[in-house]
Amino acid sequence: MLGRVPPLPDRVQYGLLKPSLLSTKWRVTGSKDCDVVGKPLQMPPVPLRLQTSSPITVALSGNSFRKWIEWEGDDQPGLLAVLALAWSYILSARLVELQGSDVSIFTYTEAAAPVYRGDKNPSSVSVDIGCVDSKTVRWFAAILAPGIGFQIALDREQSHSRHGPWAYSLAMHVSRFSIKCSEDYEDPKISDDTPLTSYQALQSLIDFGNRYSVSSHQLHAALATALLFPTLNYLKVNPALPCLAASNPKGSPAKLGNGALDRLFDDLPCYITLSCGGDVIISSLCGVFWNPHIPSNLVSPWLKPLLDLKKTKNCQSAPGRYNEILAVISARRAPNIAYLSVGAAISGLTSKILEQVLTGQPPLERHAFAWTGVPQSFMDLAGEGEYCETHFSRAYIRRSDCWRLRKLPPTVEDDLHYGVGPFTPWAPPGYALWKNCPLRVQVHRNCERHALAYEGSTWCFSNGLVLEDDLGRDSVVPHISKDRLSEDSNVSHDLLQFLASEDTSIEATRASFRWVLDNGEGRPPEEAYKDAWLLGIGDEDSESDEMSSYGGSSAGGES
């Protein structure tokens, strides 16, 4: 899940972070005799959302993965809600530790889940934490408290107006957590109010998981769910987690040892960067539904089976089942972020992801491919074969390659601006004539394939220090797995006549061509640019009442 995600640095060691926190370094690879090879390519910095104006509201009404079934088929106690809320605390505590207690605030609030002893249960949702010390009891009372049980602020002067990225308020309209512990503990409201450190909280979480024989799979799925909290907050989606499905501890051997504890703790700075890293997560989750073989004009029929799945009896009869199936499909297509896909289903983010995909222009974050290993767009791939193809004595280039070469640093000044974009992951269909391409493309006619190598990241601090997170000799060209490259991409053309709408294909195609038409290049003299789908973009000299040539076309030839 982490791939090459850089760890959030320790502010105490390096100084306060600047608002524009993180930039990444890329260089062009390819033919040694090409002037563009070795040149750096500037990418927009990654905006890290380390604070929020208000917490998200978490409910216990989720339906997806309410019953956790282990990969091996064994039933597991459904503790996802408790585990996810615990992870939220752990991430928050670690962020405060990295930023420094001299500028940050981390406190318990007055809200606390009730604690009871013995068999008296004042709540319908009881969590048996067993024999633990009073500090751990207080910790559970905070993370399971109705409303806000703990609070962090990275700036003491804004402590009343700003919250941490994983801040949540637990809504208890129907159910309320209560905590069952051994007989000899005080009421948590009068116990030690010093919050547990991130390591202490992680140790308590591991001990709690072992009490119920929770597997590493469920623990990581809960972690992924918590990692989505900043994204959910930004998208204004309040998560609905599955309620506790088992309250009786198991007598099975512990599944999580000290090795897992130390590895998880060491990875926390990387998880913080990933969780707060702007659109990296949502871009990666949307990228799961992208297919490198599908051009923009065939996106609607490619996605139609996913939409039809929701109408099946299996999904209609079981709330939450559709999101579970999408999570399984996503996990198989992108196993390196399988837990994030499961977390999206658990938290209710999956429907928002699919909604973004269906716009034809989902969020795209270039850094996501390098960090998570999930390709986001045809622009992430170098492509195959020679750039120039000859057909009927005329020189052509695939439009997808023409788009890629436009993005490279220019070797000649042409006053074109391709610094960002394109704003759709789907490749433009068809071919273009070489003679109609801008000079910045034509100079690469005899080049080997160019690609972009990721070389690490750069952190900037307010005291002027710059921290280089170099990969050194390990700088890599992100690549797509052979499974994704060889997946079935056939679209039945008989399906096209049954499509109620080709809106996704239309918007994806318009977004792809708009990138060219809006960057000062003008409208190339090709029939493709006169298509009905492209009317209103750039020059509006041509009009057509005919059906689009893209609708169901095979995306070949000089279109």
Side-chain angles (χ1 to χ4, degrees):
M1 182 161 57
L2 286 176
R4 295 180 180 273
V5 178
L8 185 76
D10 189 336
R11 185 209 67 87
V12 176
Q13 181 178 358
Y14 293 105
L16 293 171
L17 296 179
K18 286 183 177 179
S20 180
L21 293 167
L22 176 62
S23 60
T24 55
K25 298 176 293 182
W26 301 77
R27 291 194 181 274
V28 181
T29 67
S31 307
K32 293 182 179 179
D33 56 350
C34 179
D35 292 340
V36 80
V37 172
K39 283 191 173 184
L41 188 69
Q42 298 298 322
M43 297 286 184
V46 182
L48 294 191
R49 303 185 182 111
L50 296 178
Q51 296 186 96
T52 182
S53 59
S54 60
I56 55 174
T57 300
V58 176
L60 299 179
S61 56
N63 292 306
S64 296
F65 294 102
R66 181 177 289 271
K67 181 179 181 181
W68 183 265
I69 298 178
E70 192 56 20
W71 265 246
E72 294 81 8
D74 299 330
D75 286 348
Q76 280 266 301
L79 297 170
L80 286 168
V82 177
L83 300 177
L85 299 179
W87 275 117
S88 173
Y89 177 101
I90 293 167
L91 292 165
S92 300
R94 190 68 186 121
L95 176 59
V96 168
E97 292 161 4
L98 290 171
Q99 291 298 288
S101 58
D102 58 325
V103 296
S104 306
I105 294 176
F106 188 21
T107 61
Y108 291 140
T109 69
E110 293 184 358
V115 176
Y116 73 97
R117 306 162 181 79
D119 297 326
K120 183 181 179 182
N121 182 3
S123 170
S124 59
V125 185
S126 174
V127 180
D128 187 345
I129 62 175
C131 184
V132 295
D133 59 38
S134 59
K135 289 186 176 181
T136 304
V137 175
R138 181 67 183 94
W139 176 67
F140 273 104
I143 65 173
L144 302 180
I148 300 175
F150 64 92
Q151 189 169 3
I152 75 168
L154 301 185
D155 186 338
R156 289 180 177 272
E157 295 181 358
Q158 297 181 341
S159 60
H160 298 291
S161 60
R162 308 297 287 175
H163 299 264
W166 304 278
Y168 65 86
S169 175
L170 196 55
M172 291 295 189
H173 302 303
V174 178
S175 302
R176 179 182 294 267
F177 278 121
S178 62
I179 299 170
K180 178 182 178 181
C181 60
S182 57
E183 298 285 345
D184 53 349
Y185 288 110
E186 310 168 47
D187 187 305
K189 288 185 178 180
I190 58 174
S191 298
D192 187 351
D193 268 344
T194 303
L196 294 187
T197 66
S198 60
Y199 191 87
Q200 291 170 335
L202 183 55
Q203 178 68 72
S204 297
L205 175 62
I206 296 293
D207 292 343
F208 175 74
N210 284 332
R211 178 172 173 77
Y212 287 87
S213 295
V214 167
S215 70
S216 174
H217 294 307
Q218 187 173 180
L219 188 71
H220 279 84
L223 167 59
T225 303
L227 293 178
L228 295 175
F229 277 18
T231 298
L232 290 161
N233 193 319
Y234 180 72
L235 296 175
K236 301 188 184 306
V237 176
N238 289 320
L241 305 181
C243 195
L244 192 67
S247 58
N248 296 319
K250 289 189 173 184
S252 307
K255 294 189 176 184
L256 305 169
N258 288 331
L261 168 67
D262 293 335
R263 285 193 299 272
L264 287 168
F265 180 78
D266 290 342
D267 286 340
L268 285 177
C270 297
Y271 283 123
I272 290 173
T273 300
L274 176 63
S275 182
C276 300
D279 288 330
V280 169
I281 283 183
I282 194 168
S283 178
S284 297
L285 291 171
C286 289
V288 172
F289 296 97
W290 170 73
N291 185 316
H293 305 295
I294 299 297
S296 61
N297 60 319
L298 293 178
V299 180
S300 292
W302 162 249
L303 295 175
K304 187 175 187 299
L306 284 179
L307 304 180
D308 291 343
L309 179 64
K310 190 173 185 178
K311 303 173 185 176
T312 61
K313 184 177 180 180
N314 185 30
C315 292
Q316 291 286 325
S317 60
R321 180 68 53 79
Y322 180 58
N323 287 346
E324 291 176 352
I325 294 175
L326 289 184
V328 172
I329 293 173
S330 298
R332 290 176 177 174
R333 288 177 57 79
N336 41 338
I337 60 165
Y339 289 121
L340 285 176
S341 296
V342 173
I346 292 169
S347 64
L349 183 60
T350 299
S351 58
K352 193 69 175 181
I353 295 296
L354 194 56
E355 178 184 314
Q356 298 272 14
V357 170
L358 291 175
T359 66
Q361 303 177 67
L364 289 173
E365 180 59 74
R366 175 77 205 194
H367 316 86
F369 189 19
W371 286 6
T372 67
V374 178
Q376 317 295 299
S377 161
F378 75 98
M379 296 290 285
D380 287 336
L381 309 181
E384 298 178 336
E386 297 182 353
Y387 285 126
C388 184
E389 300 181 22
T390 302
H391 301 284
F392 305 105
S393 302
R394 306 180 79 181
Y396 291 87
I397 181 174
R398 290 182 180 273
R399 284 204 179 89
S400 55
D401 287 334
C402 191
W403 266 231
R404 293 180 181 114
L405 294 177
R406 280 183 169 98
K407 182 80 171 182
L408 297 180
T411 58
V412 293
E413 290 299 326
D414 54 13
D415 202 30
L416 301 180
H417 308 283
Y418 289 102
V420 295
F423 303 104
T424 181
W426 309 96
Y431 290 77
L433 283 166
W434 262 107
K435 67 178 184 180
N436 292 334
C437 297
L439 185 57
R440 65 161 57 194
V441 171
Q442 294 189 38
V443 296
H444 299 288
R445 179 166 182 163
N446 298 317
C447 289
E448 297 174 4
R449 286 276 163 176
H450 291 294
L452 297 179
Y454 175 63
E455 296 194 327
S457 56
T458 301
W459 297 88
C460 298
F461 302 86
S462 60
N463 58 5
L465 289 176
V466 174
L467 176 64
E468 300 282 349
D469 180 26
D470 288 320
L471 298 178
R473 294 180 180 179
D474 293 331
S475 60
V476 293
V477 176
H479 64 280
I480 189 171
S481 68
K482 292 182 179 179
D483 291 341
R484 289 291 294 276
L485 280 176
S486 61
E487 67 183 349
D488 183 14
S489 60
N490 291 327
V491 172
S492 171
H493 287 262
D494 293 335
L495 178 65
L496 295 173
Q497 61 182 314
F498 298 109
L499 283 176
S501 169
E502 289 192 272
D503 285 351
T504 305
S505 293
I506 292 172
E507 292 305 316
T509 301
R510 287 176 64 85
S512 186
F513 280 85
R514 184 184 293 114
W515 185 61
V516 171
L517 295 174
D518 287 353
N519 275 294
E521 189 176 318
R523 187 178 291 270
E526 296 177 1
E527 288 299 313
Y529 292 87
K530 301 176 184 178
D531 192 90
W533 282 11
L534 303 184
L535 291 181
I537 302 176
D539 290 331
E540 300 182 19
D541 297 335
S542 60
E543 295 184 2
S544 173
D545 293 328
E546 299 178 4
M547 177 180 286
S548 170
S549 60
Y550 289 145
S553 74
S554 59
E558 182 196 354
S559 50

